[in-house]
Amino acid sequence: MRDHPLKAIHVFTLGCCAIIAQSSFIRELLPLFSGTEFVIGALLSFWLLWVGVGAMLGGRRLRASRRPASIPYAALAVFLAAALPGTVVAIRLGRGMLAMPPGALPSPGSALAFSFIVTAPFGCVYGAIYNAASVLWKEQRGGLRGGITRVYLWEAAGAVFGAILFSFILIEALSPFQAAIVAGGLLALTAAFGAPGGRVRAGGRAAALIGVSMLAAFSPSIDRRTIGAIYPGYRIVEHGSSRYGEIVVAERGGMRSVFAGGGRVFSHPEPERCEEMIHIPLLLCEEPRSILLLGSSLGGGLEEALKHRSIERIDCVELDGALFGAAGAAEGESGSGGRRVRRIAADGRFFIERGDERYDCVILSSPPPVNLQWNRFYTREFFEHVRAALRPGGVFAFTHPSHENMLTEEHATVLRILERTLEDVFSRVLVLPGATAHFIASERELDVDAIPERRGARGIDAPFVGEGYLPFRLTGERLDEMRTSLDRAGDPPLNTDARPALPLHELVLEGRKTGSRVMAGFGALLRIPSAAIGAAFVAIAIALFCMARFGPAARPRARAALAVSSVGLGSFLLQVLVLLSYQSFAGVLYTGIVMLTALFMAGAAAGAFSSSMREGWGRGAL
């Protein structure tokens, strides 16, 4: 084929589109799993599986067809460009049906099945178009070295460019749907105006240009409507997207709720939650002057803290600065606090680690650590940084969902892990019972009986920590019952950065609430000793070696297939391990996953290029 050849820009754009698609799909799907990163391996494997299926089917189709490969390439490129934003819309519609009510977690099995199905069209078409590009370049450049390897290199280069574009430009300025339109539009226009073989006429080019322009013009309306489909029954007040995920302010029945990443962050008004979260630790301080609110300023927390007249400075820290604007839309603009209040958009953990401020009280409000991002605020290392940030006699407090009455075994284990981890850092730890368990830690004695007296002396108007409510929660019988439940959980492992113990236990607890068999399986895994798991992997490795050396796989082609498969498995596990480790320490996988994935591809492409330049590869090298 000698007519207008496939150019590098086509494959470059293909790689750029693919990395943006992969990142957008993962960002949209993770809220179905409460953001837990343990499903990233499954989502990436779905992607690889469908790309492989598409490549295999596309290859068969190309071999059976007598037409030039340039014709299916152009058609597939246009279809792929439309499938990218279409898949984002399909994911949002599916989330609206699966996660009911909004903010709730669907069954993990149904969420995984939906993720598997919804990524199939794009993945299959991408595999087919990649195959078509490889055939085109193989014909033009001659042989494997000039064809498939060249496609792989330019696709990886496009992926790196797409990662930079997505991480530093698109994610800051556009929603995932609008970013998908940009990526799809680039692919469609490249295919229309520079199609290999010159098969696209002027009418087709005009149609592609008009279609992309109209989709871009209507994208804000489509974006809003599809976001609304995720929250049926709510009126969308505001919605937007930041580098950390989508943010939605929705109203229902006179109450406004703020959702981030699919989960409910807070609702307003919600006086019981705010009063207990803020006043219990502040009333345990003799005279608080400077306090740090990590996520706990939203939803009315700041207004409650300002009731303590002795406070001279309040630092309010949120990872996503856009939440401050969302909170203003939900709460109104009252209670700014003047010069006493600093609103800081930063990662709360890094703020404490790197700051030199000292506080009388640090109050943390974070979702339960069902994922590694939130788990970073419940580890021994984080508690050590908090202790260093407290003034002598300072108080640290956070809450965790609990039960008014008897705790289940799973619930008691989660609370006991939190208590043990705190006790490893602080000399005094209190766990106060209720529908929400309050964890209070300090280096001095904590006197709960002093709360009513100090509340009266300070003139704090807070009914939910008043004489008619709080003493009932903290009776001797309830405190003893909480102590008995925690002691019954024994001595589970501490929660650390390097060995996070809480996320899997939290997922098992969620599974107990929803009756999920998948989560029950996680619970069974937790009871298997780590040494037994290691021994199983060693046994599998020995079995594969024996198959390659002595069994049916000892034949050259079978041995090569086994070698390639084992390398693929190892590299995939390494990639997932790097992503999870990055999240465990950095906590910003939403922005990092695209760059980490692109760099992995770039490294693989560099290896492919260097190996293609070497002659005489044989079985020994393999």
Side-chain angles (χ1 to χ4, degrees):
M1 185 178 62
R2 298 299 177 191
D3 54 352
H4 301 285
L6 181 73
K7 298 180 178 63
I9 187 63
H10 297 113
V11 186
F12 183 88
T13 308
L14 194 64
C16 177
C17 176
I19 197 69
I20 292 176
Q22 188 182 81
S23 304
S24 299
F25 297 167
I26 290 177
R27 277 173 63 98
E28 292 287 332
L29 285 170
L30 277 180
L32 283 174
F33 306 92
S34 191
T36 180
E37 304 85 357
F38 298 113
V39 300
I40 283 180
L43 298 180
L44 290 176
S45 67
F46 296 162
W47 172 275
L48 292 174
L49 174 64
W50 289 123
V51 170
V53 170
M56 182 178 64
L57 297 178
R60 291 180 180 178
R61 181 74 176 176
L62 285 173
R63 287 193 297 271
S65 176
R66 296 182 179 179
R67 295 186 300 173
S70 58
I71 297 177
Y73 179 90
L76 289 170
V78 173
F79 183 87
L80 194 70
L84 207 170
T87 302
V88 173
V89 171
I91 292 173
R92 291 181 176 180
L93 296 177
R95 283 174 55 188
M97 293 185 288
L98 289 174
M100 291 294 293
L105 290 180
S107 162
S110 61
L112 284 172
F114 172 73
S115 303
F116 179 75
I117 294 170
V118 78
T119 54
F122 187 92
C124 286
V125 175
Y126 182 76
I129 196 173
Y130 187 91
N131 203 324
S134 300
V135 170
L136 280 168
W137 233 331
K138 181 179 178 181
E139 293 175 355
Q140 294 164 191
R141 302 293 175 176
L144 178 65
R145 181 179 304 172
I148 298 176
T149 303
R150 191 178 179 88
V151 169
Y152 191 60
L153 288 171
W154 280 108
E155 189 221 16
V160 174
F161 174 79
I164 296 172
L165 179 68
F166 186 81
S167 299
F168 299 104
I169 299 177
L170 298 182
I171 204 173
E172 296 284 355
L174 304 175
S175 71
F177 176 73
Q178 292 171 321
I181 290 177
V182 170
L186 287 174
L187 183 62
L189 294 176
T190 302
F193 286 88
R199 300 286 179 176
V200 182
R201 298 179 180 178
R205 294 170 180 172
L209 184 59
I210 293 172
V212 171
S213 301
M214 290 185 63
L215 193 58
F218 287 101
S219 64
S221 176
I222 299 173
D223 202 18
R224 186 179 185 87
R225 288 179 179 273
T226 53
I227 287 290
I230 303 175
Y231 304 93
Y234 284 81
R235 182 179 69 86
I236 304 299
V237 179
E238 284 187 8
H239 79 95
S241 181
S242 73
R243 57 191 297 113
Y244 304 105
E246 68 186 22
I247 298 175
V248 176
V249 181
E251 183 177 23
R252 182 177 184 179
M255 177 177 286
R256 290 191 174 185
S257 300
V258 175
F259 297 86
R264 188 179 69 90
V265 179
F266 68 88
S267 297
H268 187 80
E270 208 172 23
E272 179 178 355
R273 178 188 69 89
C274 292
E275 290 182 11
E276 289 186 352
M277 175 181 66
I278 298 297
H279 293 304
I280 288 178
L282 287 182
L283 291 172
L284 287 171
C285 297
E286 293 182 357
E287 191 176 8
R289 296 189 179 278
S290 62
I291 67 172
L292 173 62
L293 302 180
L294 296 174
S296 48
S297 65
L298 306 179
L302 174 60
E303 285 71 18
E304 295 298 327
L306 288 169
K307 293 179 180 179
H308 294 257
R309 291 187 292 271
S310 64
I311 293 177
E312 299 171 355
R313 187 181 81 253
I314 302 177
D315 287 346
C316 306
V317 177
E318 287 291 340
L319 170 64
D320 195 343
L323 285 174
F324 289 125
E331 306 168 25
E333 299 299 328
S334 60
S336 65
R339 295 182 178 180
R340 288 193 292 172
V341 176
R342 290 196 306 169
R343 291 177 173 83
I344 304 167
D347 181 273
R349 172 152 179 173
F350 292 158
F351 178 82
I352 281 190
E353 289 179 6
R354 301 166 183 174
D356 55 1
E357 301 283 354
R358 294 296 178 264
Y359 301 94
D360 296 305
C361 187
V362 176
I363 302 175
L364 168 69
S365 178
S366 174
V370 295
N371 59 39
L372 293 173
Q373 180 184 11
W374 297 332
N375 185 70
R376 298 165 57 251
F377 295 95
Y378 297 94
T379 63
R380 179 179 60 194
E381 291 82 0
F382 175 70
F383 294 160
E384 289 172 345
H385 289 299
V386 170
R387 184 184 64 181
L390 288 172
R391 290 175 176 170
V395 172
F396 171 51
F398 63 86
T399 61
H400 189 283
S402 182
H403 281 298
E404 289 282 0
N405 300 311
M406 185 68 68
L407 294 175
T408 64
E409 177 185 350
E410 294 84 0
H411 220 140
T413 299
V414 167
L415 298 183
R416 179 59 178 150
I417 291 174
L418 288 167
E419 183 186 41
R420 283 202 69 215
T421 307
L422 269 177
E423 289 174 340
D424 196 61
V425 177
F426 292 91
S427 60
R428 299 289 185 272
V429 175
L430 283 178
V431 184
L432 306 182
T436 298
H438 290 258
F439 289 82
I440 317 290
S442 181
E443 292 300 315
R444 62 171 177 80
E445 291 291 338
L446 297 168
D447 185 9
V448 178
D449 296 332
I451 291 179
E453 180 182 347
R454 288 174 180 168
R455 173 184 173 275
R458 298 178 190 178
I460 302 298
D461 181 19
F464 290 103
V465 291
E467 292 83 353
Y469 187 81
L470 192 61
F472 171 75
R473 283 192 54 187
L474 304 180
T475 62
E477 292 180 356
R478 303 194 73 181
L479 291 171
D480 291 342
E481 185 177 319
M482 172 64 80
R483 183 72 266 154
T484 300
S485 297
L486 295 178
D487 290 341
R488 191 170 57 248
D491 292 321
L494 300 181
N495 189 44
T496 66
D497 286 339
R499 302 194 68 176
L502 274 173
L504 280 178
H505 284 280
E506 291 279 4
L507 290 174
V508 171
L509 179 58
E510 287 292 331
R512 177 66 178 261
K513 295 176 183 177
T514 60
S516 168
R517 295 182 180 179
V518 175
M519 293 307 176
F522 276 119
L525 285 176
L526 288 172
R527 292 188 285 272
I528 300 176
S530 56
I533 297 176
F537 274 104
V538 171
I540 292 172
I542 293 174
L544 290 174
F545 174 80
C546 293
M547 288 173 58
R549 188 69 179 169
F550 308 109
R555 293 188 299 272
R557 290 192 63 179
R559 184 182 296 181
L562 181 61
V564 173
S565 300
S566 60
V567 169
L569 173 63
S571 62
F572 180 79
L573 292 177
L574 174 63
Q575 184 180 7
V576 173
L577 179 62
V578 169
L579 292 175
L580 295 181
S581 299
Y582 177 84
Q583 179 72 325
S584 183
F585 289 95
V588 286
L589 187 61
Y590 287 113
T591 58
I593 185 173
V594 60
M595 285 301 301
L596 290 170
T597 302
L599 290 173
F600 187 89
M601 293 177 62
F609 176 76
S610 62
S611 65
S612 70
M613 302 302 293
R614 177 175 174 177
E615 298 287 351
W617 284 103
R619 272 182 279 173
L622 180 61

